[in-house]
Each structure stands twice: as C-alpha cells, then as structure tokens.
Amino acid sequence: MGSIENRAELGQFLKARRAELTPEAVGIPDNGSPRRVQGLRREEVAQLVSISAQYYTRLEQGRIQASAPVLTTLADALRLDEDQRGYLFDLAGKGNPRPRRLKSQRIRPPLERLLATLTDIPAFILGLRMDILAWNDLAAALITDFAEIPQNRRNYARILFTDPIMRERYLKWEIVARDCVAYLRMEAARDPDDPRLSALVGELSVQSPEFRTWWAGHYVAHRTFGIKTIRHPIAGDLTLEWENLASSADPGQQLVIWTAEPGSASEEALRFLASWAAAHPNYRHTSPGGAMGSTSQS
C-alpha cells in the first residue's frame, strides 16, 4: 500500500497532468463558460473515467487509494505515456503493469472479398468496439462519408452519438442508440481491460447525457437482425432490414448488410440512391484504394 506521502504526491501528479489537457483534446465540448482552472476540471476527469466526482476528488487529495483498474483508466484518460503510467502505479504501490498488447483488427480476406461483391446493397464491416473497418459505396451514401472521418475516430457508436445528423437520419434514433449501448456493455463484459473501449465509454459519457444514462442502466443485448427506418435527404424514407453476419474465424468481425423488401418503395429508393451517388462522386469520397474504403486498425 502506498504511504501517505506517496498518496499526496499521486494527487499532485494527477492535478498536474489534468492541467496539461484541454477539453477539446479529450472530446469534451466547449460550452463557452469561463474556466477557473487550467486544463480539465476534476468533474470532467471523473466523467472520463466513469467514477464519481467525489471519489476522484478524494483520490486527488490523497485521502483514498485507487484500484489498479481505476488507475489504468485514469492513465488512458489523461493520455499518460509509459514512463508517466509507471510512475503513477509506483506511487499507488501497485507496481507497473506490463503494457497491454492490443489486438490487431485486420480484416478477414474472405469478408473483404465478399464486401467487394456487394454493390447493390449497403454493407460494412464492424470490428471490436464497433469500429468501422470497411464499407462499400452505398453504405457511405446512405449513412455517412466514413472516409472523411479520421481512422482513429471511425466508430459506429461514436458517430451515432456525436454526429447530430444521425438523429435525423435514423427515425427511431433512440432505439438504435440504446441497442448500441447495450452491445458495448456486452463487449465490456467480455474484455473489461480493453483501454480503448474504456476511453470510448468515457468520451461518450461526457458528450452524451443519453449515453451516460443508458450506460449506467446496465442494459445488455446483442441483436443480430432487425429493421431500421432511414430518412435520407436524397432518397427519402427507406425501411431496411439489417443483418449481422459474424465471421466464424473471428467473431470480433461482422459483416452488416441492409436490404429492402423486393418490389417495395424502399428497394426503388435504394436503387435511385445508388445511381444518384454514382453520378455525383463529390457527394462522398472513397478511400484511395478504390470503390471500397477499408482500414486495418490496432
């Protein structure tokens, strides 16, 4: 257990590190109100780590000790490098944990080849934490221009909760968003030490009151099919059935396809959108590799 002196030093160290970060750097929107402290407020750090402001205050004041999982999440939230992370754990008397090797998210070649053949229906590949690994042109035209989003920000949950256009695009946004939170809850149970998932949850908890409320509700679900209604500015309203096809070789990757009932107005609208997007290439862009955008992420 850390000494009283170490706990006091740990508190000063945390205070110094949060003073170095701006709200924008961690995805906290600036509401324009004057800030009495440099860097992040205690309440903002607590929200990023998904702990109470009172708990974090007591930790920074040297009155309590933090568990190793809380320290790990704090280190991620405060963007500590390896030396700083080791120092933090030494002060807490926890020892320096070995850096975690993050799983590579390289797209399964069969899934990528299958996606390349799907030109008439929207389709994309989801990886861990709902990261978007690849997509076809029609998915970009229907949902959003994934290629315009930086690779390290290209996450379905993040887009759903932080892009205001998504609230207009999904006519039943709340249902879609709640299912998304429930799925992330299940991922957190499968891999509770995933630092990127912890950072994503902290970021969305700060930026979205709905996410914060639903995450605290501990609702879990894993839907593999359903119906979504899209209001598109070009194609109008479309009712589409979606299906998640998980890779048997890597359950962490799944191909998501959206189809319309044959002969329906939605099928006609989808065909119209495909032809319109092909005739207006400036409407959305694809990755330099060709018609299908794809990425490999760590």
Side-chain angles (χ1 to χ4, degrees), residues 75-92:
D76 294 332
L78 294 175
R79 308 294 197 268
L80 301 188
D81 61 28
E82 288 305 319
D83 290 338
Q84 293 171 331
R85 185 181 296 257
Y87 182 66
L88 176 69
F89 275 81
D90 286 342
L91 287 176

Side-chain angles (χ1 to χ4, degrees), residues 108 111 245-253:
R108 294 274 307 159
L111 276 184
L245 307 176
S247 168
S248 58
D250 183 357
Q253 293 186 21

Side-chain angles (χ1 to χ4, degrees), residues 28-287:
I28 298 176
D30 184 3
N31 59 15
S33 62
R35 305 182 70 84
R36 293 182 296 175
V37 297
Q38 181 179 354
L40 299 179
R41 301 185 179 101
R42 286 174 174 169
E43 296 79 6
E44 291 169 336
V45 176
Q47 287 180 317
L48 288 173
V49 186
S50 298
I51 59 177
S52 71
Q54 181 184 21
Y55 181 93
Y56 179 76
T57 298
R58 294 171 64 195
L59 177 63
E60 198 172 274
Q61 291 174 345
R63 295 161 55 193
I64 60 172
Q65 288 187 319
S67 65
V70 169
L71 291 173
T72 298
T73 310
L74 264 174
D76 294 332
L78 294 175
R79 308 294 197 268
L80 301 188
D81 61 28
E82 288 305 319
D83 290 338
Q84 293 171 331
R85 185 181 296 257
Y87 182 66
L88 176 69
F89 275 81
D90 286 342
L91 287 176
K94 304 295 183 183
N96 187 14
R98 296 177 61 185
R100 174 188 169 113
R101 292 180 61 85
L102 296 176
K103 298 177 181 178
S104 175
Q105 292 201 80
R106 298 194 177 278
I107 305 169
R108 294 274 307 159
L111 276 184
E112 193 166 21
R113 290 193 292 269
L114 178 57
L115 179 61
T117 67
L118 302 176
T119 57
D120 297 329
I121 62 173
F124 52 95
I125 297 175
L126 287 181
L128 300 172
R129 302 171 294 272
M130 305 189 82
D131 287 344
I132 297 170
L133 306 183
W135 60 93
N136 64 9
D137 280 352
L138 197 47
L142 179 70
I143 305 172
T144 191
D145 187 354
F146 299 117
E148 292 295 315
I149 303 170
Q151 178 178 328
N152 64 350
R153 308 284 298 171
R154 202 176 289 150
N155 176 275
Y156 186 78
R158 180 182 284 113
I159 295 169
L160 191 62
F161 279 94
T162 63
D163 187 345
I165 293 178
M166 292 297 103
R167 293 175 183 262
E168 302 174 7
R169 190 64 48 91
Y170 288 100
L171 290 187
K172 296 182 179 180
W173 177 87
E174 182 172 327
I175 294 176
V176 175
R178 283 179 66 97
D179 284 346
C180 183
V181 175
Y183 180 79
L184 287 180
R185 260 290 176 197
M186 295 190 67
E187 284 229 357
R190 286 190 292 265
D191 192 358
D193 298 323
D194 183 350
R196 291 187 177 175
L197 180 56
S198 296
L200 176 65
V201 170
E203 173 191 338
L204 297 182
S205 295
V206 171
Q207 296 195 32
S208 169
E210 294 100 334
F211 183 94
R212 186 164 59 248
T213 298
W214 296 334
W215 184 261
H218 292 266
Y219 174 63
V220 295
H222 182 199
R223 304 191 191 284
T224 57
F225 63 93
I227 296 176
K228 286 186 172 72
T229 305
I230 300 292
R231 174 156 291 169
H232 196 275
I234 303 300
D237 291 359
L238 301 93
T239 299
L240 302 173
E241 296 183 57
W242 61 272
E243 190 109 10
N244 285 6
L245 307 176
S247 168
S248 58
D250 183 357
Q253 293 186 21
Q254 48 194 320
L255 176 67
V256 183
I257 59 173
W258 296 24
T259 61
E261 183 179 352
S264 66
S266 293
E267 183 186 44
E268 186 170 339
L270 207 55
R271 283 200 300 266
F272 169 76
L273 179 61
S275 61
W276 188 94
H280 297 79
N282 292 330
Y283 174 68
R284 84 281 178 265
H285 306 283
T286 55
S287 294

